[in-house]
Amino acid sequence: MKTNRDIKLGVSLYSYQDNYYFHKHDLEGCIAAAAGSGAEGIEVFADSMIAEWPYITDAFVDKWNGLMARYGVEQVCLDHFADRAMWKNKQLSDDQLFERSSMYIKAARKLGCSTVRILHNEHIGTGFSPVRLTDVKEVERLLPLCAELGVMMALECHAPTTIDDSIHEPYLEVAEKLGMPFVGLQADFSSYEYCFSKAGIGMMVRQGATEEILHFVRNSQREAYFNGVPFVYDEIKHLVEKMNPNEVDRKILPRIAKKSPASYETLKKYASKLVYVHGKFFDFDENGQVDNIDYPKVLQALQEGGYKGYISSEFEGNRSMNDIGWVDEIEYVRKHQALMRDCLGYNG
Amino acid sequence: MKTNRDIKLGVSLYSYQDNYYFHKHDLEGCIAAAAGSGAEGIEVFADSMIAEWPYITDAFVDKWNGLMARYGVEQVCLDHFADRAMWKNKQLSDDQLFERSSMYIKAARKLGCSTVRILHNEHIGTGFSPVRLTDVKEVERLLPLCAELGVMMALECHAPTTIDDSIHEPYLEVAEKLGMPFVGLQADFSSYEYCFSKAGIGMMVRQGATEEILHFVRNSQREAYFNGVPFVYDEIKHLVEKMNPNEVDRKILPRIAKKSPASYETLKKYASKLVYVHGKFFDFDENGQVDNIDYPKVLQALQEGGYKGYISSEFEGNRSMNDIGWVDEIEYVRKHQALMRDCLGYNG
Amino acid sequence: MYDNHILTDVGCRNVWENGKKVGYGVNLKINYYRGLPLCCVDEIALEVDGEKVDPADMVVQHRGREYPYLEILKDDFPTDFYWVFGEMLRVVIKKENGIAQGRHQVKLKLATRRSYTPTMSATCEKTLTFA
Amino acid sequence: MYDNHILTDVGCRNVWENGKKVGYGVNLKINYYRGLPLCCVDEIALEVDGEKVDPADMVVQHRGREYPYLEILKDDFPTDFYWVFGEMLRVVIKKENGIAQGRHQVKLKLATRRSYTPTMSATCEKTLTFA
Ligand SMILES: [Mn+2]
Ligand SMILES: [Mn+2]
């Protein structure tokens, strides 16, 4: 349902991946699910739900626009990927990667999306991606095309990075240098996790971790967060040791024990400059709150900071729960949209 | 694999209905399954596995013949139905039913099937079917078409009837009268069940029957059969009463306690006149024998009686077992074909 | 036959027109071992959250065409529109504002007329998530 | 991702030509949340009844075309043949006389290269019935 609010709510169809993978819902069904949740914007992964990708025929464009009209929603964002490791022993050259990135940007334009989530080189920090993703040099080459087509490149700042991490700055600088303001920051709520979600506990236990230890660490994280003090794993490490962690625990703990939310103050300060936001979530607690991200605080910061644009539901709990059965993504997103509307005062 | 044996083995694709219904295998997959079991003949339900039914395009015919060539099998029989109760308050007239029956016969010819399993009015005796099926008068009208096209109408004699039941005779008489020998008897092994199959026990128990009673009755049936004496339910009725049968038992018992195999001598006597045979089965016992039909005896009677034609596997256990999970029809048919080859001495 | 499977969660969702919900639909599979002409459907009865769906609100979508449910029950409805074995038949319930997104208890009774056996009725009850 | 589902029993069967078995095939689903170009397949390794399938015997069937498996691993293989998300990729193992009809223990290792995460490998072992 279209509104003229400053902060609008969308859904990334990524949230419905199991429905699509297992053929419960096709692209139209996923759009219907998003519209039915009360969202007004659609983010689409062309690589997932446009079966003719990497081509987009006029017939598909017509169908797409028809779907937007039928479901009373608008296209918001298309996700770009940087598949540089295209072959076993050979990678795309910078020129080739530029060509592919252009393909995503043109596709976004064809589908009416004003934003492309660009997979920039510092998306998840440095040192994890096996290849150089879309770096500053590539973005600089893409800017004229984006300016011509009016497509904004959103730099998704995903945990472990944050929107104020200086590694994203060179991208903004190059846009300023060229006088082409077509690259901007995108927040992903993964940066605001104050503990790990219980969605993952089951899977970790099935992989051999000790349930009691996971709950103990998670509860310590929550206690610290709600007491307003930083969580320092080293302070509870001796207690964990007494619980006899096994090898799986020892492998998992350094990764999940790192959680601490980025600053809400900084988020508020940056809010008016953000070009897109991912409302990441994994699961809810008994009170209907997201169980590891403080949505009221995060949304308050965005609202008070004057964010204008879309926050799109990005449900990721499916991946940690679907190994033992069906995860009702549609229901998760529905609740998530209702929660966000609550936080933003849209229900009153 | 094609042979020039007198008795050839086929598979009714009916056996693979769950594979088709749940989209594990399409028509080609079912034919591949039949060919892979070692069968050389295919019986097809146009109503089930020809998606364009009631039309058969030339393109389908070509595909069909191509499949027969690819899998080294031949088309044997197409199943006719007599959907006279076509509407809620109105039935097909005799003329209309004749038209529909003609449609099946022409379809059989198009697909190269020399036989149509005709759903004649006494298929499962009298008094059960809610409408008049294809009766003698209809068959008389169909005979000239069958003669012209060279298609044999097989009167499937299903339990509770038998091949020597006089209710089938008028059909043969009318063919003789017209001098058009295009209707003949088809045996279905349901007439040779000497007890009920254990395939059904689970489902009956899930419907509320008492497992101990079912096993007791079944064991009594088996004991009688292997001792060469007729099974008379009234002789064990007092014992069943002591087991406190509930209402479900009382409803089920009269139906399942009726089993007694038709005469092998009669089968032998009729064998050379039969035009088709359904190797019906539900389940195997621990020794790999069909658990309620004496295949060695039945096949011996057919062989000694000089049967020339196809025996097609007709697996029906799926229907009594698939309410609690996947029934591996392909494996059942594979074992069934091997058993029939054994009985007929084709493996030595 | 196939009682547990006649009601599917595939494509279970609201139906929209011009940004508004105008109904909702479910996909059914047949309760028999073969396909049947649509006119052999004896009854499709739906109950949603304990409330009976008015048959007059139901339409049946089949191979790109749509028929009011009550139409397929009429005498002389064409005999060559087959509900194909294993394929889904879509039933849409016309309803202003559709159905609330989320889980609903749905009960289906499906009865079909067959050649040589009496009309067979299958029943299936499931919690379905409507998108 | 989707480890339990990458190996399917759909269309699991022998492949025939002129009345003879010439191989057998299985259908795979992708181990990722999106489709990938075929050239991003890093490895498809099959083990049947404990025996490794020779990669040289494998062909990949995709949208009406067939490629030797080793071909898709080669540098400069086209980048626009997508293994569509949720769709099956058919792998046929060429083998005289195919595989014995019935149940076999099949193990699949599927590795795919992705944009920002290292090559991910999923493993799935199932008893499959080959028709
Ligand atoms: Mn995100
Ligand atoms: Mn039969």
Side-chain angles (χ1 to χ4, degrees):
Chain A
M1 187 195 53
K2 289 189 194 168
T3 72
N4 45 24
R5 293 176 177 135
D6 284 343
I7 297 182
K8 299 184 189 195
L9 299 178
V11 175
S12 166
L13 300 188
Y14 172 92
S15 308
Y16 302 125
Q17 58 186 264
D18 286 4
N19 272 282
Y20 195 90
Y21 187 85
F22 295 111
H23 299 191
K24 307 268 188 201
H25 284 287
D26 57 11
L27 172 63
E28 176 165 5
C30 293
I31 291 170
S37 76
E40 56 180 309
I42 301 291
E43 171 179 339
V44 65
F45 281 33
D47 301 62
S48 295
M49 300 196 187
I50 300 180
E52 62 193 37
W53 183 253
Y55 303 105
I56 293 188
T57 59
D58 288 352
F60 182 82
V61 173
D62 294 347
K63 175 184 163 175
W64 175 261
N65 287 329
L67 291 173
M68 295 301 111
R70 175 174 299 279
Y71 294 95
V73 288
E74 64 174 349
Q75 52 284 70
V76 168
C77 181
L78 181 139
D79 284 74
H80 157 271
F81 288 93
D83 295 307
R84 193 191 285 270
M86 194 59 92
W87 300 286
K88 224 174 167 64
N89 303 301
K90 189 180 162 185
Q91 301 194 350
L92 292 187
S93 68
D94 281 356
D95 283 356
Q96 288 170 320
L97 195 64
F98 167 74
E99 276 307 322
R100 281 188 79 79
S101 292
S102 304
M103 176 179 88
Y104 281 96
I105 289 161
K106 288 174 188 166
R109 181 69 285 156
K110 264 198 175 180
L111 298 182
C113 295
S114 56
T115 304
V116 160
R117 187 291 313 261
I118 201 100
L119 204 53
H120 72 301
N121 198 42
E122 286 75 23
H123 171 54
I124 45 170
T126 49
F128 185 66
S129 298
V131 296
R132 190 157 40 87
L133 303 169
T134 306
D135 62 10
V136 179
K137 219 175 70 188
E138 289 280 350
V139 164
E140 179 169 7
R141 289 178 73 182
L142 291 166
L143 274 166
L145 177 67
C146 287
E148 183 196 332
L149 301 179
V151 172
M152 173 66 73
M153 288 181 281
L155 302 174
E156 185 178 6
C157 308
H158 191 283
T161 89
T162 54
I163 43 172
D164 60 332
D165 193 324
S166 61
I167 56 179
H168 310 300
E169 275 172 25
Y171 295 88
L172 307 177
E173 285 162 8
V174 76
E176 195 162 329
K177 185 188 78 181
L178 293 183
M180 292 174 168
F182 286 93
V183 63
L185 296 170
Q186 170 187 341
D188 179 284
F189 289 176
S190 57
S191 306
Y192 302 90
E193 295 180 31
Y194 59 79
C195 69
F196 58 89
S197 165
K198 67 178 161 53
I201 292 183
M203 190 180 253
M204 289 189 276
V205 169
R206 288 187 289 281
Q207 288 167 352
T210 310
E211 190 161 4
E212 295 68 36
I213 294 180
L214 296 180
H215 279 294
F216 172 70
V217 173
R218 182 166 184 265
N219 286 337
S220 305
Q221 290 176 323
R222 297 177 67 83
E223 213 178 285
Y225 177 72
F226 288 112
N227 288 335
V229 297
F231 172 71
V232 183
Y233 179 63
D234 283 346
E235 285 173 9
I236 61 157
K237 200 175 172 183
H238 65 287
L239 295 170
V240 171
E241 282 304 326
K242 279 189 190 156
M243 298 172 84
N244 293 318
N246 61 31
E247 271 179 50
V248 179
D249 296 320
R250 286 187 199 286
K251 215 180 260 178
I252 283 173
L253 282 170
R255 176 162 54 84
I256 62 176
K258 251 192 291 185
K259 305 285 177 205
S260 77
S263 151
Y264 304 126
E265 266 312 302
T266 307
L267 179 59
K268 184 170 164 183
K269 207 173 69 189
Y270 274 69
S272 65
K273 287 183 292 188
L274 297 177
V275 299
Y276 192 44
V277 174
H278 264 174
K280 161 83 50 73
F281 72 111
F282 301 88
D283 209 345
F284 298 105
D285 64 19
E286 321 65 54
N287 307 315
Q289 291 295 319
V290 169
D291 77 347
N292 69 332
I293 298 167
D294 195 336
Y295 265 65
K297 287 257 169 63
V298 171
L299 295 197
Q300 188 187 2
L302 285 169
Q303 208 164 27
E304 290 182 3
Y307 174 57
K308 285 192 175 61
Y310 271 96
I311 307 174
S312 290
S313 294
E314 190 187 45
F315 176 55
E316 202 161 304
N318 33 24
R319 289 168 59 174
S320 12
M321 298 189 282
N322 67 7
D323 62 322
I324 48 154
W326 182 247
V327 178
D328 196 342
E329 301 165 329
I330 290 164
E331 190 65 1
Y332 271 101
V333 171
R334 183 184 72 75
K335 288 183 185 163
H336 186 246
Q337 288 279 320
L339 171 67
M340 292 203 292
R341 285 196 302 270
D342 257 352
C343 293
L344 294 166
Y346 293 170
N347 284 335
Chain B
M1 190 195 52
K2 289 189 193 168
T3 71
N4 45 26
R5 292 175 176 136
D6 284 343
I7 298 182
K8 299 184 189 193
L9 299 179
V11 174
S12 167
L13 300 187
Y14 172 92
S15 307
Y16 302 126
Q17 58 185 265
D18 286 3
N19 272 282
Y20 195 90
Y21 187 86
F22 294 112
H23 299 193
K24 307 267 188 201
H25 284 287
D26 57 11
L27 173 63
E28 176 167 5
C30 293
I31 292 170
S37 77
E40 56 182 308
I42 302 291
E43 171 179 339
V44 66
F45 282 34
D47 301 64
S48 296
M49 300 196 188
I50 299 179
E52 64 193 36
W53 183 254
Y55 303 104
I56 293 188
T57 60
D58 288 351
F60 182 82
V61 173
D62 294 347
K63 175 184 162 176
W64 175 261
N65 287 329
L67 291 173
M68 295 300 112
R70 174 173 300 278
Y71 295 96
V73 289
E74 64 174 349
Q75 52 286 67
V76 168
C77 181
L78 180 139
D79 284 74
H80 157 272
F81 288 93
D83 296 306
R84 191 191 287 268
M86 194 60 91
W87 302 285
K88 225 174 165 67
N89 304 302
K90 188 179 163 187
Q91 302 193 348
L92 293 187
S93 67
D94 281 356
D95 283 354
Q96 287 170 320
L97 197 64
F98 167 74
E99 277 308 322
R100 281 188 78 80
S101 292
S102 304
M103 177 179 86
Y104 282 96
I105 290 162
K106 288 174 187 164
R109 180 71 284 152
K110 265 200 178 180
L111 297 182
C113 295
S114 56
T115 304
V116 160
R117 187 290 314 259
I118 201 99
L119 205 53
H120 73 300
N121 198 41
E122 286 75 22
H123 170 55
I124 45 170
T126 51
F128 185 66
S129 297
V131 296
R132 192 158 37 89
L133 303 169
T134 306
D135 62 8
V136 180
K137 218 175 68 189
E138 289 281 350
V139 165
E140 180 169 6
R141 288 177 73 183
L142 291 167
L143 274 166
L145 177 67
C146 289
E148 183 196 330
L149 300 179
V151 172
M152 172 66 72
M153 287 181 279
L155 302 175
E156 184 178 6
C157 308
H158 191 283
T161 89
T162 54
I163 44 173
D164 60 332
D165 193 322
S166 61
I167 55 179
H168 310 300
E169 276 170 25
Y171 295 88
L172 308 177
E173 286 162 7
V174 78
E176 197 164 329
K177 183 187 80 183
L178 293 182
M180 292 173 171
F182 286 92
V183 63
L185 296 171
Q186 170 188 342
D188 179 284
F189 289 176
S190 58
S191 306
Y192 300 93
E193 295 180 30
Y194 59 79
C195 69
F196 57 89
S197 165
K198 69 179 160 53
I201 292 184
M203 190 179 253
M204 291 187 276
V205 169
R206 287 187 290 282
Q207 288 167 353
T210 309
E211 190 162 4
E212 293 68 35
I213 294 179
L214 297 180
H215 279 295
F216 173 69
V217 173
R218 182 166 184 266
N219 286 337
S220 306
Q221 290 176 321
R222 297 176 67 82
E223 214 177 285
Y225 178 71
F226 289 112
N227 288 335
V229 297
F231 172 72
V232 184
Y233 179 64
D234 283 345
E235 285 174 9
I236 61 159
K237 199 173 174 186
H238 66 287
L239 296 169
V240 171
E241 281 305 326
K242 280 190 191 154
M243 297 173 86
N244 293 317
N246 62 30
E247 270 179 51
V248 178
D249 296 321
R250 287 187 198 284
K251 215 179 263 179
I252 284 174
L253 283 170
R255 176 162 54 83
I256 61 176
K258 249 191 292 183
K259 305 283 177 206
S260 77
S263 152
Y264 304 126
E265 267 312 302
T266 307
L267 179 59
K268 185 170 162 182
K269 206 174 69 190
Y270 274 68
S272 65
K273 287 183 290 188
L274 296 177
V275 299
Y276 192 45
V277 174
H278 264 176
K280 161 84 49 73
F281 72 111
F282 301 88
D283 209 345
F284 298 105
D285 64 19
E286 321 66 54
N287 307 316
Q289 292 294 319
V290 169
D291 78 347
N292 70 332
I293 298 167
D294 195 336
Y295 265 65
K297 287 257 169 65
V298 171
L299 295 197
Q300 188 187 1
L302 285 170
Q303 208 165 27
E304 292 182 1
Y307 174 57
K308 285 191 176 60
Y310 272 95
I311 307 174
S312 290
S313 294
E314 190 185 47
F315 176 55
E316 201 160 306
N318 33 24
R319 289 168 59 176
S320 10
M321 298 189 281
N322 67 7
D323 62 322
I324 47 153
W326 182 248
V327 178
D328 196 343
E329 301 165 328
I330 290 165
E331 191 64 2
Y332 271 100
V333 171
R334 182 184 70 76
K335 288 183 185 164
H336 186 246
Q337 287 280 319
L339 171 65
M340 291 202 293
R341 285 196 302 270
D342 256 352
C343 294
L344 293 166
Y346 292 171
N347 284 334
Chain C
M1 211 175 295
Y2 295 122
D3 290 50
N4 297 339
H5 306 283
I6 58 173
L7 192 55
T8 82
D9 59 357
V10 175
C12 193
R13 63 175 179 83
N14 279 282
V15 173
W16 294 60
E17 274 173 23
N18 297 311
K20 290 217 168 354
K21 296 198 231 172
V22 296
Y24 59 97
V26 286
N27 284 315
L28 316 185
K29 290 182 80 173
I30 207 162
N31 64 333
Y32 200 28
Y33 63 69
R34 60 181 172 113
L36 286 171
L38 280 186
C39 55
C40 282
V41 168
D42 204 64
E43 188 179 8
I44 297 172
L46 281 165
E47 226 180 86
V48 178
D49 300 327
E51 212 164 299
K52 279 193 177 129
V53 171
D54 186 344
D57 295 335
M58 285 163 42
V59 299
V60 167
Q61 295 177 341
H62 179 260
R63 297 193 173 182
R65 286 176 181 272
E66 185 173 293
Y67 311 98
Y69 164 67
L70 295 173
E71 203 64 36
I72 69 168
L73 304 184
K74 284 189 182 159
D75 295 345
D76 293 321
F77 188 80
T79 62
D80 58 346
F81 299 168
Y82 268 71
W83 180 357
V84 173
F85 181 63
E87 294 304 321
M88 288 181 291
L89 184 69
R90 186 155 184 80
V91 174
V92 167
I93 296 96
K94 304 274 188 193
K95 191 181 178 200
E96 211 179 336
N97 301 316
I99 192 170
Q101 185 177 70
R103 296 184 192 157
H104 296 275
Q105 194 66 12
V106 182
K107 195 170 159 183
L108 165 69
K109 184 191 159 200
L110 169 64
T112 45
R113 286 187 305 280
R114 295 101 185 261
S115 205
Y116 62 103
T117 52
T119 297
M120 295 285 263
S121 167
T123 307
C124 183
E125 188 164 357
K126 284 184 180 169
T127 303
L128 297 179
T129 297
F130 284 81
Chain D
M1 210 174 297
Y2 294 122
D3 290 49
N4 298 339
H5 306 283
I6 58 173
L7 192 54
T8 82
D9 58 359
V10 175
C12 193
R13 63 176 179 84
N14 279 282
V15 174
W16 295 59
E17 274 174 22
N18 296 312
K20 288 217 170 353
K21 296 198 232 171
V22 296
Y24 59 97
V26 287
N27 284 315
L28 316 185
K29 290 183 80 173
I30 207 162
N31 64 333
Y32 200 27
Y33 62 70
R34 60 181 172 112
L36 286 171
L38 280 186
C39 55
C40 283
V41 169
D42 203 65
E43 187 180 8
I44 297 173
L46 282 165
E47 226 180 87
V48 178
D49 299 327
E51 213 163 299
K52 277 190 179 134
V53 171
D54 185 345
D57 295 335
M58 285 162 42
V59 300
V60 167
Q61 294 177 344
H62 179 258
R63 298 193 172 181
R65 286 175 181 272
E66 185 174 293
Y67 311 98
Y69 164 66
L70 295 173
E71 204 64 37
I72 69 168
L73 303 184
K74 284 189 182 160
D75 296 345
D76 295 320
F77 188 80
T79 61
D80 58 347
F81 299 168
Y82 268 71
W83 180 358
V84 172
F85 182 63
E87 295 304 321
M88 287 180 291
L89 184 69
R90 186 154 183 80
V91 174
V92 167
I93 295 96
K94 304 275 188 193
K95 192 180 179 201
E96 211 179 335
N97 301 317
I99 192 170
Q101 184 176 73
R103 296 183 194 157
H104 296 274
Q105 194 66 10
V106 182
K107 195 170 159 183
L108 166 69
K109 184 190 158 200
L110 169 63
T112 45
R113 286 187 305 280
R114 296 99 186 263
S115 205
Y116 61 104
T117 52
T119 298
M120 295 285 263
S121 168
T123 307
C124 183
E125 189 165 356
K126 283 183 181 170
T127 303
L128 297 179
T129 298
F130 285 81

